[in-house]
Amino acid sequence: MLPDASRPLGHLNAVMRRYPRLPNQVETMRAARGVRLPRWPDWCFLPMKGWQAIVQGPGAAPRIDLAAGREVGLVAALGTWRYSQGVYRFDPDVLAALNTSGMAGRLPVDVLQRLPEWCVYVETPGRTWHGRALFGFWAHLAWHDATDGRRLQFVFDCDGGLDSMPVLLGDWSVSDAVQRTLSEVVAYARRLGKRTVEADEASMRAVANELRPLIGLLLYMCSEAPEIIDRTEPGAYPGRPKTVKTKRGWRLFPPSRPRIWTVGAEIGRRLREAQTVMSEATGRTVRPHLRRAHWHGYWSGPRTGGTRRFTYHWIYPTLVGMGDPQNEDHEQ
């Protein structure tokens, strides 16, 4: 792991060399939002069709091939990240706890709209992607159009190069999302006349297992009160960059260098200090750990004489086993 964040910055510089007009093109399209172009959601920096125009040329007929689609995915992620350049570095013990806790149930799509920046780069020391060392990954919410909706777009910073993968978002689990995504890729390849085969169940399960802990890291960052700090600037917190009024109108300016955000430092310290605690309520020895994120159903309303409703809420990763008997790990 490079402390100066030179890996993601190096990849960004390579993209900018390939697309030197990218800043002006981005400014032009964002200024046209809701005027000459449709108004896309606030959680999206620039729709995928905009990035496609940057890669393939404005007004050009889209090149229909898998390599072009991969390039659009790479430029969309790094072009968006350029305007914040946040590098998220998890405390090692928190990272290990989140990697093993996983996540259960349906994807909380709306929760992912709370990413601290339009696009984030998360370091992943010790992880792999398809057998290659994974140094980190970029992630952002991508918008295609009103019919295609939201996708969680990943770009993986692997040993040997970058790889990308969109994840179709909807009311389903990570495994279902992987199945839908791979099925769409196969169908697209077949329309191009490419020889391909359906991904077998074991392959899809393997992809979902590698993807699930990465999504878990993002979900922690999207929680209601994630512990994210800049060690060089106490009190600072990540956010979407603000436009600046200039003689040429409102513009966005990228930072001069990447910014390192430390995630979970205090939780990690508490995990290390309290190796085991005794629960006064049960007499059991409980090792402090992060309870995995999951959906939980709740009944609300009067128990008698009225209408009761059953609703689902997303429960974020929670530190348990720190001596609070009400915070014990109860899976339901």
Side-chain angles (χ1 to χ4, degrees):
M1 182 171 62
L2 299 177
D4 58 354
S6 60
R7 279 197 67 86
L9 183 60
H11 288 303
L12 173 61
N13 290 338
V15 166
M16 297 307 298
R17 286 193 294 270
R18 296 202 301 274
Y19 302 96
R21 297 181 59 243
L22 183 148
N24 290 336
Q25 292 171 306
V26 165
E27 292 286 353
T28 298
M29 283 186 279
R30 283 185 53 82
R33 175 178 178 250
V35 183
R36 297 185 304 276
L37 295 176
R39 187 174 184 85
W40 58 84
D42 290 339
W43 47 257
C44 173
F45 178 74
L46 192 70
M48 293 304 288
K49 287 184 178 179
W51 295 112
Q52 183 175 323
I54 290 174
V55 171
Q56 301 181 357
R63 296 199 305 273
I64 305 177
D65 61 77
L66 296 176
R70 175 182 176 275
E71 179 72 358
V72 171
L74 298 182
V75 174
L78 276 76
T80 302
W81 182 75
R82 173 177 181 266
Y83 290 91
S84 57
Q85 299 184 38
V87 175
Y88 292 79
R89 185 168 295 168
F90 277 78
D91 175 272
D93 289 280
V94 173
L95 181 66
L98 289 170
N99 283 341
T100 56
S101 65
M103 60 168 291
R106 298 175 290 120
L107 275 168
V109 177
D110 291 340
V111 171
L112 289 167
Q113 293 178 193
R114 301 178 188 171
L115 280 173
E117 297 169 329
W118 273 308
C119 183
V120 297
Y121 180 90
V122 183
E123 293 182 337
T124 54
R127 294 209 66 85
T128 61
W129 177 255
H130 294 347
R132 294 187 292 166
L134 180 64
F135 300 103
F137 65 90
W138 288 268
H140 68 105
L141 281 180
W143 176 256
H144 287 248
D145 53 45
T147 58
D148 209 7
R150 293 170 286 188
R151 302 186 182 197
L152 182 58
Q153 189 79 33
F154 284 94
V155 171
F156 304 104
D157 183 7
C158 300
D159 184 19
L162 303 181
D163 195 7
S164 66
M165 178 181 178
V167 176
L168 301 182
L169 295 178
D171 188 20
W172 46 69
S173 68
V174 174
S175 297
D176 292 335
V178 168
Q179 181 179 4
R180 290 169 183 266
T181 300
L182 295 182
S183 295
E184 182 180 271
V185 171
V186 169
Y188 183 65
R190 287 177 175 172
R191 289 199 299 272
L192 301 180
K194 306 285 186 180
R195 296 184 61 184
T196 185
V197 295
E198 294 283 354
D200 58 58
E201 185 175 344
S203 298
M204 289 190 291
R205 189 184 308 114
V207 173
N209 288 340
E210 289 194 323
L211 201 57
R212 195 173 286 108
L214 306 185
I215 295 178
L217 299 180
L218 296 177
L219 289 175
Y220 175 79
M221 293 162 55
C222 295
S223 62
E224 294 179 349
E227 188 195 343
I228 302 175
I229 63 171
D230 181 345
R231 294 186 184 277
T232 66
E233 187 179 340
Y237 194 79
R240 295 170 182 171
K242 304 295 184 182
T243 54
V244 177
K245 190 173 184 179
T246 69
K247 293 181 179 179
R248 297 175 52 189
W250 292 93
R251 298 187 60 192
L252 282 174
F253 292 94
S256 59
R257 62 183 181 276
R259 188 167 189 170
I260 306 296
W261 297 101
T262 301
V263 185
E266 176 62 19
I267 295 177
R269 183 189 66 80
R270 294 173 66 191
L271 285 171
R272 286 185 290 274
E273 285 186 353
Q275 294 298 314
T276 58
V277 297
M278 184 67 69
S279 169
E280 296 179 0
T282 64
R284 295 184 294 115
T285 297
V286 181
R287 183 175 298 279
H289 62 284
L290 285 175
R291 181 176 56 193
R292 69 181 181 176
H294 61 285
W295 287 95
H296 187 83
Y298 294 90
W299 285 102
S300 60
R303 293 183 179 272
T304 58
T307 303
R308 287 173 60 77
R309 290 191 310 147
F310 187 78
T311 57
Y312 276 100
H313 294 273
W314 178 252
I315 307 300
Y316 297 100
T318 307
L319 183 64
V320 298
M322 298 302 296
D324 180 1
Q326 295 183 350
N327 207 24
E328 295 289 333
D329 189 10
H330 296 301
E331 292 294 337
Q332 302 187 28

